Structures are given as C-alpha cells and as structure tokens.
Amino acid sequence: MQITKRNVELRVDDSLMRVYVAAPKAAGVYPGIVFYSDIYQLGSPIIRLANYLAGYGYVVAAPEIFHRIEPVGLVIEPDDLGRMRGNDDARRTKIADYDADCLAVMEFLKTESAVSPGKIGTLGFCIGGHLAFRAAFQDEIKANVCCYPTGIPSGKLGQGIADTIHRVSEIKGEMLLVFGTLDPHIPEHDRQILIKALENANVPHKVLLYEAEHTFMRDDGYRYDSAAATSAWSEIVTFLERIFAN
C-alpha cells in the first residue's frame, strides 16, 4: 500500500528527538512499531526499511537514537570513521536515556489516531536490535523483532553494563530473532545464551538463522544479502500479521 512520510519532534529530558514516521496513506487504524536503526541513525538504507514495513500496514516511528549527542538530522556515514563515531555515541549514551526514548516513542504512538489501541510492537537492527529487545520489557509491546541484536549477553549498549539479559522474564510479548551465522559480532556462544534465556523465561520466540554476515539486511554495504534479507522480511511480515491479527 502507499504510505505517507513525515518527521515529528519529541522532547525527552529537554533534548529534541527527531522521529521519522512512515504510515499507510489509506485512512484507518494500524499497529504501531517502534523502529530502531543501527549506529548510523536514519540514513537512506534504514529509511527504506522503515518505509517497506509501513507499506504492509504499520505506523512506523523511528527515533534518532543519539539525539542527545548529535545534531538533529545527522546521518553517520557507514565507513570506518562513521563506525568509530557511532560506537562512541553509543558508549556515551546512558542506558536509562535509551529507555526514556523508548517510552517517549511509545507514548507518541498511543496518541496517534491511526494506531490501533493496544497494538504496539518493536523492530530494530544491530544496536537497534538490542534496543528493541529492551523495549519488550514494556507490557504494551506485543511483538518484538530483533535483527542481529548486539551486546545483549555482555551488556554492551551504552554507559555502564546493560542488565538486558537478566530481565528476560519481564517480556510479555512474542519474540522473533534474526541472525546471520557468519556474524562475528554475535557468535554462536552469544546466540545460545540469548536463546536459552528466552527458553528459561518461557518467552514465546522464534529464531531465524541465515548463512549471512552482520547487517545483511542493509542494502548499501558489501555484506548485503538480498536473498537472506527477502526471506527474513517474509518471516517478519508473517510474524507481525499473526500477532496483530485480532
């Protein structure tokens, strides 16, 4: 379906947070998705992914995750310098600030007339996958899609050590995890720790494994795998449709 695109501004702890919103053009009510980027923020590849999901009938709200540090609208280039910059921004951001941003985007979605009451999910990539996982601690989140989420077993996310792996029992919704088996940032050992934690907490979940590298769903890099990305998107859309069917 066709979509609309706009930017909104939210104030979180006196910092202006730009949120990119993509939504179906047709009048109606749709599930809302808190949509998290990787460390490069809202560049063209991430915007294309947000637009793609919106076209399936979702109000997608993607915040700039480093708004306390970077200027509004700043896109970090996905090169060596950009990687260093993004990782430094991540280390300088308080974990509590990430959580506050999540609540702000959720509250925004709940006030949107186009969002179905009680139908909110989350989706994220890389660090955004970790943030999407943490968002699942909120009772309102019904569906959680975490694409190659980094740093969950180790607690690497921002300032200090994130307690994410120790709070899995707080998750009330269902989880879909997408991994590349050739991804050095999330080795087999870390994947198993994460999966075991979900099993022990009786969190309904599904794990997708692709013979692909990190960020294989981002279409501007050498690690992009169109076949794996297409398959993953098919699974993601089916998962979300099932959760939000009623």
Side-chain angles (χ1 to χ4, degrees):
M1 60 179 63
Q2 291 183 315
I3 64 171
T4 63
K5 311 166 190 177
R6 74 188 201 273
N7 291 293
V8 301
E9 56 181 67
L10 303 180
R11 285 280 173 182
V12 189
D13 301 328
D14 202 36
S15 177
L16 192 155
M17 179 172 67
R18 171 206 174 199
V19 180
Y20 175 79
V21 181
K25 183 177 180 180
V29 290
Y30 306 91
I33 302 292
V34 183
F35 190 96
Y36 285 112
S37 72
D38 51 26
I39 60 170
Y40 305 112
Q41 297 210 111
L42 302 180
S44 296
I46 293 296
I47 294 298
R48 284 193 289 271
L49 292 173
N51 293 344
Y52 183 85
L53 180 58
Y56 278 91
Y58 298 92
V59 178
V60 179
E64 288 184 330
I65 60 176
F66 300 137
H67 63 91
R68 292 174 176 81
I69 298 171
E70 299 287 4
V72 174
L74 190 282
V75 174
I76 300 173
E77 290 300 318
D79 52 23
D80 286 343
L81 290 178
R83 176 178 50 79
M84 288 187 280
R85 181 174 185 168
N87 284 328
D88 187 56
D89 285 349
R91 285 190 292 266
R92 293 165 59 197
T93 301
K94 296 178 181 178
I95 295 166
D97 289 344
Y98 289 128
D99 294 342
D101 294 346
C102 172
L103 292 175
V105 179
M106 287 176 58
E107 287 303 313
F108 163 75
L109 286 171
K110 287 190 285 186
T111 64
E112 283 287 283
S113 60
V115 175
S116 302
K119 292 188 176 183
I120 298 180
T122 184
L123 188 153
F125 303 87
C126 193
I127 186 176
H130 191 155
L131 294 174
F133 196 99
R134 287 186 70 83
F137 300 152
Q138 305 302 319
D139 290 346
E140 298 96 326
I141 300 294
K142 306 302 182 186
N144 317 281
V145 181
C146 303
C147 299
Y148 32 87
T150 54
I152 295 178
S154 67
K156 183 180 179 182
L157 178 64
Q159 288 185 19
I161 304 297
D163 59 358
T164 310
I165 195 66
H166 304 294
R167 297 176 59 188
V168 175
S169 62
E170 298 178 33
I171 298 173
K172 302 297 191 298
E174 292 193 38
M175 183 79 64
L176 179 65
L177 298 168
V178 181
F179 296 114
T181 58
L182 306 179
D183 184 349
H185 301 288
I186 316 169
E188 172 69 13
H189 178 261
D190 284 7
R191 294 199 300 269
Q192 290 305 317
I193 289 175
L194 185 49
I195 293 167
K196 191 65 175 177
L198 291 169
E199 291 174 347
N200 290 341
N202 294 315
V203 175
H205 64 280
K206 182 176 182 178
V207 179
L208 303 178
L209 297 176
Y210 296 95
E211 190 177 349
E213 299 185 48
H214 192 61
T215 71
F216 71 86
M217 298 175 72
R218 186 183 171 106
D219 66 8
D220 67 335
Y222 68 90
R223 292 176 290 189
Y224 175 58
D225 187 319
S226 60
T230 299
S231 176
W233 270 117
S234 177
E235 293 274 3
I236 290 168
V237 169
T238 299
F239 172 77
L240 293 175
E241 285 179 347
R242 177 176 61 80
I243 299 297
F244 294 122
N246 298 320

